[in-house]
Amino acid sequence: MSAPVEIRYNGGGTIAPPPEETFVLNLGPQHPAAHGVLRILMRMDGEYIASSDIVIGYIHRMHEKMGENRIYAKFLPNTSRIDYLAAMHYTHAYVGAVERAAKIEVPLRAEYIRVIADELQRIASHLVGWGAWIMDLGGLTPILYAFEDRERILDLFEHICGARLTYCYYRFGGVCNDVDDEFLRGARDFVPYMRGRLKMYRDLVTDNIILRKRLEGIGIMDAEMCRRYGVTGPVLRGAGVAYDVRRAEPYSLYPKFQFDIPHFPQGDSMARYLVRMEEMEQSLRIIEQALDQIPAGPVMGKIPRVLKLPAGDYTYAVEAGRGRFMVRIVSDGKDTPWRLKLRTPCFGNLAPFEEASKGMILPDALALLGSLDLVIPDIDR
Amino acid sequence: MSAVAAAKEVLLGFKSLLVGMRITLGQFFSPKITVQYPRETLKMPERFRGHIRLVLDPETGASRCTACKLCERACPSECISVDGVKLEGAKTKSVTEYHLNFTTCSLCGLCVEACPFDAIEFSKTYNAIGVSRSEFDNMDMVRQLAGRREVWLQNHPLPPAAPAMPAATAAPAKSAAPTLPPTPETKTP
Amino acid sequence: MIEYFISGPGSAYTRLVIYLVAFMAFVGLNAAYLVLAERKGAGWFQRRPGPNEAGPAGILQPIADGIKLIAKQVFVPPGVDGILFRLAPALVLMPAFMCLATIPYAETIYGRNINVGLLMVFSFGSITVFCLMLGGWASRNKYAVISAARVVSQNIAYEIPMLLVVLTVLMLTGTMDMQKIVQQQAGGFWNWNILRGVWTLHNPLVPVTFVIFFICMLAETNRAPFDMAEAESELIAGAMTEYSGFSWGLFFMGEYANIVVSCSVATVLFLGGWQSPIGILSGGAWGLIWFFLKLYLVIFTVIWVRWTFPRTQFYGLLNLSWKILIPISLGTLLLSSALIKIL
C-alpha cells in the first residue's frame, strides 16, 4: 500500500497513501451496475483506487461437473445457461466438439443456419453489452432502443425454436428444427433495419462529445497486458491485436465468408467500444452472405443411438460475443465425458482489471468495467 | 492544443449534442412499442415452448402415448414420470399416469424429440399461475388431456362400443394439479 | 370590513395572502406534476408510455407518490446534527419562493416588482446550494459530505459564466427590473432578447449566451448531464442519502422548484416573458398563457437533455466551466460592451 500508484488521466501524478489513510470500498455482489454477482474490494485513497481485489464464485453452478455426470445429450440445456447472452455460440462449441470427436457429418443447410443464428446472437449480445454500459455511464435511453432491436432478433429466434434466451436449438448433427421462409425473410429484413439503427446509434451515442470525453484515454490496456492475462475478444481487438477465432482457428463455414476483423490500436475504452459497434456491422455482412448462399436440404445428420466418443482429447473453440470460448472433452470411451472443460472468455477479460484500475478515479473504473462487457455467470460457470 | 483546434472541438462537440437531441425528439414522436399486457396480448409463435403436454390424437380422441418411458430417460432434469397398462385387445400399452415436475423442467425439448409416437408436444401456455408449489411440481398431464378430450367429444360423438380411456390405476392418486385456465385469446399487436 | 380588505388600504394584505397561496400552490403543483412530466417524458423518449395506470394517463401518479412518501418512516440516524438535519429539507424550498416573487407572469400579475429584481433572483438562487451542503454535512456520512462538497464546487464553477452571461444581457436591456425587461421585448418574437441583439448589432452572439445560460442552469440545478450529486448515489452515496420519506421528497421538490425558477428567469431574460410572439394578444390573461407556454417549453428541453445524454465526468464538468464557458462568456461580454460603445 505504500508503493506509489500512478494516477493516469488528466494531469497525472502519484498517490502513495499510507495504509491508515485508505479505506476499503466494497462494490458488493449486489450493485445496480448491471454486471452480475461480482464483488470488488477496492482500497481507496479518497476517490482514487489504490488497489483492488476481485472476488468471484458467487454464482458457481458446477456446469463442468454436471457435464461429467451426464451423457452428452443431456448437457445441451446447460450450454445455453453458461453465458445466457451468447447461448447459441456456447451450444455451437459443445456440439462442435462432440461432432468433431465422433466424426458426425453436419448437413450444409444446418451449418448455414448455425452461422446465421450465431451472428444474430452476436448482435443481440453486443446490443445488451452496449446498452447496459451506456446505462452505467448515465445515458438511460439507448438501452431501450437496443432492446427494441433485440426484440426483433429474439422474435426471430422464437419463431424457429420457441425460446428467447436459452435456446437448446443445436443438436449433434445439425439443428432440431428447420427454418422456414418466414425466418429467412425476417432475417433478410432485419439487416437493413439494423444498419439504419447502427447509424442512429453512431449519431446519438458514438459521436456524442460527452461520451467521448468519458471513454477516450480511460482504462488503457495495451496488447502486452492483454497477452499476459489471456484476454480475448473485443477487449483484445481494442488493444490492436487482430485475433479472432473465426480466422485463427476456422470452424464451421467461416472460411467461406468475407468479413473484416475490426481492431483499433489505442487500447482505451473507446477502442473497445468501437470494436463492438464495428463487429455488429460485420455480423450483418456475414448474415447477408449466408442468406444468399443457404441451400435446401436436410437439417439433421445421422447420429448413433447411443453416443460414445472414442477415447481421446477433443477441443472446439468459437468466437463468442465476449471472446474465445473453448470446450475441451476428454473421453474414455464411455457415454459420459471423463472431463469437460469450459474455457470462458470473461475470466480472462476480467483479470487485468486489478492492474488497469490502479490510480483511477472510481467512476472511470466503472466505465472500464463496463467496457469489458462481462457476464459473471460466464466467469464462475 | 491550439486555439483553433480547441474552438473546432467545442463547436463539433456541440453539434454532436444537437444531433443526438434531434434523434431523441424523433423517437419522442414515434409510436409506443409497449404492449399493455394484460389488456393486449401478443400472439405466441407456433413453436413456442410452454410446458409439455400429451397430444390429443384428432382421430381417436385419445393419447398416442404408450408409456415407453423414452421421454423419461431423455430428460436431463428427471422431471417426467410415466406409467401405463396394457388393456385387453390393445396392441400397445396406454398411458395412465403422466406427471411432470415443471419446477425442474428447463424446456429443452429433448423429451419431445425422443418420443417415437409424437405423443407429447409443447403447449402454448405462457402465463401459468398457481397459488402453491404443488400446482407445478406435479402436473397431471393425463387429467389435462381428459379435459381437452371432453371438448373433443362434443364434436366427435363416440360410436357405440368405442374403447374408453383407461381408468387410473388403483394406486392412490397423487395430488394432481387442477386444469390451468386457457391462455386468453390473443390479438396481434 | 370586507371593503377594507378588497378595495381599501387592506387590499395590499389581501393581495399578499392571495399571492402567497398562489405561489405555494404553484410550487407544490409544479413539483408534483413535473415529476410526472419527467417520467412520462422519459417514457416517450424511450418509446414507452410512462406511468399510465394511476388515473387516466397517470394523472394521479403524483398523489400516489406523495402518499407513499408521507407514509414512509422518517428515520433520523443517530449522531447527526439534530437541528441542521431537520432544517435542511425545510430550507431548500425557501429560495425558490423568494425568487418567484419577483418574476412577472403577466402584465399585472407579479408578486413584487423590485427595481433590482434580477439581482434578487440570483442572490436567492445561490442560497439553494447551501441547503444541500447543510443536508450533506448534517448527515454523519463521509460520502454525503464528499458529495455535498462536490455540489458546492459545481455550483460555484457555474455561477460565474451564468452571471457573466446575464451581465451581457443586462447591457442590452439596461435595467435590472424584470417587468421592464419584459416590456422592452414587446412587439413580436424578433424583439425578444435572444434575437434583438443580433439584428440591432448590439451583440450578435446573444443566441450563444442563451445556450451558455441554459447549460449553466442545468449545472446549477444539478440536472443531467451534470447530476453527479444525485446519480452517483448509485456508487457512493449522494448528499441526500440519509434522508427518507418526505424529507427526501422536500429535497426533490426543491430541485424541481429550482428548475421552474431558473426556466422562468431564462424565459424572462431571453424569450420575452409574457409577450406574445406575434405582437398582439399580450394583455391580461394572454400574457399568462404565453408565459406558461414558453416556460414549459424550456422545461421540456431540460427534460429532453436529461434523457438524451450520459453523465459527464466530474473533472469534465469543471473543465467545461473553467476552460470553455468562462472564456466564451467573457468574450461575449467584451464584444457586447465594445459594440454598444461603438454603435
Side-chain angles (χ1 to χ4, degrees):
Chain A
M1 231 60 57
S2 45
V5 172
E6 193 195 316
I7 301 175
R8 24 171 119 177
Y9 77 98
N10 206 20
T14 52
I15 50 171
E20 59 270 15
E21 281 190 16
T22 62
F23 62 94
V24 170
L25 183 70
N26 181 33
L27 214 68
Q30 311 116 317
H31 50 74
H35 299 136
V37 275
L38 175 69
R39 183 174 181 208
I40 307 183
L41 288 152
M42 290 188 273
R43 195 161 286 279
M44 315 272 292
D45 170 35
E47 296 218 349
Y48 300 98
I49 299 177
S51 71
S52 55
D53 272 318
I54 304 176
V55 182
I56 56 174
Y58 287 89
I59 192 167
H60 178 58
R61 296 160 294 170
M62 293 159 273
H63 277 291
E64 295 181 357
K65 180 69 177 170
M66 281 198 266
E68 290 157 22
N69 273 342
R70 286 164 174 64
I71 61 173
Y72 293 97
K74 289 196 181 180
F75 188 67
L76 280 169
N78 292 41
T79 56
S80 298
R81 288 156 172 84
I82 306 169
D83 176 1
Y84 38 80
L85 292 178
M88 293 283 194
H89 296 131
Y90 281 48
T91 319
H92 194 163
Y94 178 69
V95 156
V98 170
E99 287 165 357
R100 200 176 263 180
K103 303 209 182 3
I104 298 174
E105 282 267 333
V106 182
L108 202 57
R109 185 176 169 93
E111 293 270 30
Y112 273 99
I113 295 173
R114 283 185 185 176
V115 166
I116 296 176
D118 274 0
E119 295 306 317
L120 281 173
Q121 179 74 75
R122 193 188 312 280
I123 297 176
S125 160
H126 282 329
L127 281 171
V128 175
W130 173 80
W133 186 18
I134 306 295
M135 193 170 71
D136 284 349
L137 295 176
L140 302 158
T141 315
I143 185 172
L144 285 143
Y145 300 156
F147 269 67
E148 191 195 341
D149 303 335
R150 206 173 123 85
E151 275 302 293
R152 302 226 178 182
I153 300 179
L154 295 186
D155 283 345
L156 286 174
F157 283 151
E158 204 181 6
H159 186 75
I160 52 174
C161 72
R164 291 166 73 87
L165 192 72
T166 52
Y167 307 108
C168 202
Y169 179 51
Y170 302 167
R171 299 280 185 269
F172 307 130
V175 294
C176 72
N177 288 336
D178 198 354
V179 299
D180 54 358
D181 286 337
E182 201 179 322
F183 171 79
L184 296 173
R185 249 199 328 266
R188 206 175 265 289
D189 290 340
F190 177 72
V191 173
Y193 164 80
M194 191 66 207
R195 286 216 167 101
R197 297 291 279 199
L198 282 176
K199 176 169 186 320
M200 172 176 114
Y201 297 150
R202 204 172 322 141
D203 289 336
L204 177 65
V205 187
T206 312
D207 286 344
N208 193 321
I209 180 90
I210 300 179
L211 187 86
R212 288 219 311 267
K213 290 281 181 215
R214 219 39 225 270
L215 294 183
E216 277 168 3
I218 303 294
I220 300 204
M221 287 167 37
D222 56 2
E224 199 266 329
M225 191 198 284
C226 292
R227 198 196 64 81
R228 269 190 290 130
Y229 285 100
V231 172
T232 55
V235 182
L236 180 63
R237 292 195 278 278
V241 180
Y243 176 79
D244 188 321
V245 179
R246 296 174 286 180
R247 286 274 155 82
E249 304 168 53
Y251 60 98
S252 184
L253 295 171
Y254 285 103
K256 286 198 195 177
F257 297 118
Q258 315 243 10
F259 59 98
D260 302 326
I261 311 287
H263 58 280
F264 295 87
Q266 299 96 351
D268 59 0
S269 300
M270 195 67 192
R272 297 191 274 274
Y273 178 98
L274 290 171
V275 163
R276 289 200 183 97
M277 303 307 276
E278 284 298 318
E279 270 187 15
M280 286 202 261
E281 179 66 48
Q282 297 303 318
S283 288
L284 288 172
R285 263 178 90 183
I286 298 177
I287 293 175
E288 268 183 330
Q289 294 169 45
L291 285 171
D292 286 335
Q293 300 172 20
I294 186 168
V299 291
M300 196 59 185
K302 284 204 154 326
I303 53 168
R305 187 162 242 263
V306 176
L307 187 60
K308 289 191 184 164
L309 302 190
D313 201 334
Y314 311 101
T315 64
Y316 195 97
V318 301
E319 178 73 22
R322 282 157 193 83
R324 178 174 185 269
F325 174 66
M326 183 191 75
V327 169
R328 175 182 179 218
I329 301 180
V330 179
S331 165
D332 57 353
K334 302 213 185 66
D335 57 1
T336 64
W338 174 252
R339 171 81 174 107
L340 177 69
K341 161 76 182 165
L342 309 165
R343 187 266 173 205
T344 51
C346 290
F347 188 83
N349 288 2
L350 178 57
F353 180 80
E354 295 183 27
E355 191 180 321
S357 67
K358 278 195 160 57
M360 285 178 101
I361 202 171
L362 181 64
D364 283 344
L366 285 161
L368 165 61
L369 203 61
S371 79
L372 300 176
D373 194 10
L374 300 171
V375 171
I376 310 299
D378 192 40
I379 303 179
D380 294 343
R381 277 155 285 155
Chain B
M1 50 180 171
S2 70
V4 170
K8 207 164 146 227
E9 197 201 358
V10 168
L11 284 172
L12 281 178
F14 188 69
K15 175 172 173 278
S16 76
L17 297 181
L18 291 178
V19 165
M21 282 174 72
R22 187 181 50 160
I23 292 176
T24 38
L25 194 67
Q27 296 287 317
F28 187 87
F29 291 112
S30 304
K32 311 284 161 286
I33 51 183
T34 317
V35 173
Q36 298 283 2
Y37 186 84
R39 297 180 199 97
E40 309 166 358
T41 50
L42 288 171
K43 185 168 174 300
M44 290 296 123
E46 279 170 33
R47 294 187 189 165
F48 178 76
R49 290 187 193 178
H51 65 81
I52 56 166
R53 63 177 185 188
L54 290 168
V55 172
L56 184 78
D57 190 324
E59 274 143 49
T60 63
S63 168
R64 295 198 271 254
C65 174
T66 61
C68 65
K69 294 187 197 266
L70 275 175
C71 58
E72 196 175 325
R73 283 202 287 266
C75 176
S77 319
E78 295 168 10
C79 52
I80 300 179
S81 76
V82 196
D83 206 0
V85 293
K86 192 150 190 277
L87 296 173
E88 298 181 12
K91 281 184 283 201
T92 55
K93 286 204 287 192
S94 310
V95 63
T96 54
E97 302 277 342
Y98 197 109
H99 292 277
L100 169 72
N101 183 351
F102 196 42
T103 58
T104 54
C105 172
S106 61
L107 292 171
C108 62
L110 293 173
C111 54
V112 174
E113 285 169 31
C115 179
F117 304 103
D118 287 338
I120 44 176
E121 61 178 2
F122 289 113
S123 67
K124 300 284 166 284
T125 312
Y126 62 87
N127 56 351
I129 57 162
V131 295
S132 76
R133 190 181 257 241
S134 60
E135 296 178 43
F136 289 106
D137 65 3
N138 209 335
M139 292 169 98
D140 190 338
M141 291 300 140
V142 171
R143 192 207 272 203
Q144 290 189 16
L145 185 68
R148 276 178 279 131
R149 182 180 155 85
E150 291 301 321
V151 176
W152 180 86
L153 278 174
Q154 289 164 9
N155 300 330
H156 302 84
L158 287 176
M165 290 258 294
T169 56
K174 304 173 199 152
S175 63
T179 314
L180 289 172
T183 313
E185 253 327 294
T186 60
K187 93 169 192 261
T188 42
Chain C
M1 173 79 160
I2 305 272
E3 274 143 24
Y4 176 76
F5 277 114
I6 293 192
S7 48
S11 66
Y13 298 117
T14 323
R15 195 171 173 281
L16 189 69
V17 168
I18 292 178
Y19 271 101
L20 266 177
V21 171
F23 282 146
M24 288 203 278
F26 183 58
V27 168
L29 277 177
N30 259 315
Y33 280 88
L34 271 184
V35 178
L36 176 67
E38 165 133 50
R39 285 171 69 180
K40 292 227 42 113
W44 283 51
F45 281 117
Q46 296 165 356
R47 310 277 303 269
R48 56 183 180 85
N52 60 355
E53 290 287 328
I59 289 284
L60 299 179
Q61 184 76 35
I63 300 182
D65 284 342
I67 295 177
K68 178 200 81 165
L69 281 178
I70 295 176
K72 273 197 182 171
Q73 177 191 21
V74 175
F75 176 69
V76 177
V80 299
D81 189 324
I83 300 176
L84 289 180
F85 188 83
R86 290 172 177 86
L87 201 58
L91 281 183
V92 81
L93 273 175
M94 181 265 291
F97 279 122
M98 301 303 294
C99 299
L100 282 178
T102 59
I103 295 177
Y105 297 92
E107 208 161 354
T108 49
I109 303 181
Y110 47 83
R112 227 2 174 194
N113 197 21
I114 307 180
N115 58 351
V116 287
L118 207 55
L119 186 62
M120 183 173 152
V121 166
F122 283 107
S123 321
F124 279 102
S126 318
I127 295 184
T128 321
V129 67
F130 288 128
C131 303
L132 272 177
M133 176 79 202
L134 217 57
W137 173 258
S139 345
R140 190 167 146 255
N141 184 340
K142 61 176 168 259
Y143 304 129
V145 173
I146 295 178
S147 181
R150 276 206 184 153
V151 166
V152 171
S153 79
Q154 175 182 334
N155 264 282
I156 293 175
Y158 280 91
E159 283 283 342
I160 302 179
M162 184 140 101
L163 291 173
L164 285 174
V165 155
V166 167
L167 270 179
T168 312
V169 173
L170 276 183
M171 287 194 182
L172 275 181
T173 63
T175 167
M176 282 204 267
D177 186 341
M178 305 242 262
Q179 186 70 289
K180 288 215 186 72
I181 294 180
V182 176
Q183 280 161 351
Q184 279 176 1
Q185 300 177 58
F189 69 91
W190 50 90
N191 264 334
W192 293 352
N193 277 340
I194 193 173
L195 292 175
R196 192 151 63 108
V198 180
W199 55 264
T200 58
L201 285 182
H202 282 158
N203 186 356
L205 287 181
V206 179
V208 173
T209 57
F210 177 61
V211 167
I212 296 179
F213 185 83
F214 190 78
I215 297 176
C216 294
M217 171 177 66
L218 288 178
E220 288 286 313
T221 52
N222 294 326
R223 288 287 294 184
F226 307 121
D227 60 350
M228 270 77 52
E230 54 193 43
E232 218 171 32
S233 58
E234 294 166 356
L235 321 162
I236 307 185
M240 301 184 261
T241 174
E242 300 284 351
Y243 288 94
S244 62
F246 209 68
S247 315
W248 178 84
L250 278 175
F251 272 114
F252 214 58
M253 279 174 70
E255 179 184 320
Y256 281 103
N258 276 323
I259 292 176
V260 167
V261 165
S262 310
C263 294
S264 311
V265 171
T267 316
V268 160
L269 280 182
F270 289 97
L271 294 179
W274 45 262
Q275 302 283 1
S276 97
I278 47 175
I280 54 172
L281 290 181
S282 288
W286 279 106
L288 204 62
I289 294 175
W290 291 120
F291 181 82
F292 282 131
L293 207 63
K294 292 179 215 170
L295 172 65
Y296 288 114
L297 217 59
V298 180
I299 292 182
F300 173 75
T301 312
V302 169
I303 295 178
W304 182 9
V305 165
R306 176 183 181 173
W307 293 104
T308 306
F309 301 127
R311 234 168 270 139
T312 57
Q313 197 44 287
F314 190 59
Y315 46 88
L317 172 98
L318 294 178
N319 278 346
L320 177 70
S321 164
W322 294 100
K323 292 190 193 167
I324 299 179
L325 289 184
I326 290 188
I328 297 182
S329 43
L330 269 178
T332 53
L333 184 65
L334 287 174
L335 179 71
S336 176
S337 53
L339 285 175
I340 291 181
K341 184 74 181 166
I342 298 174
L343 298 172

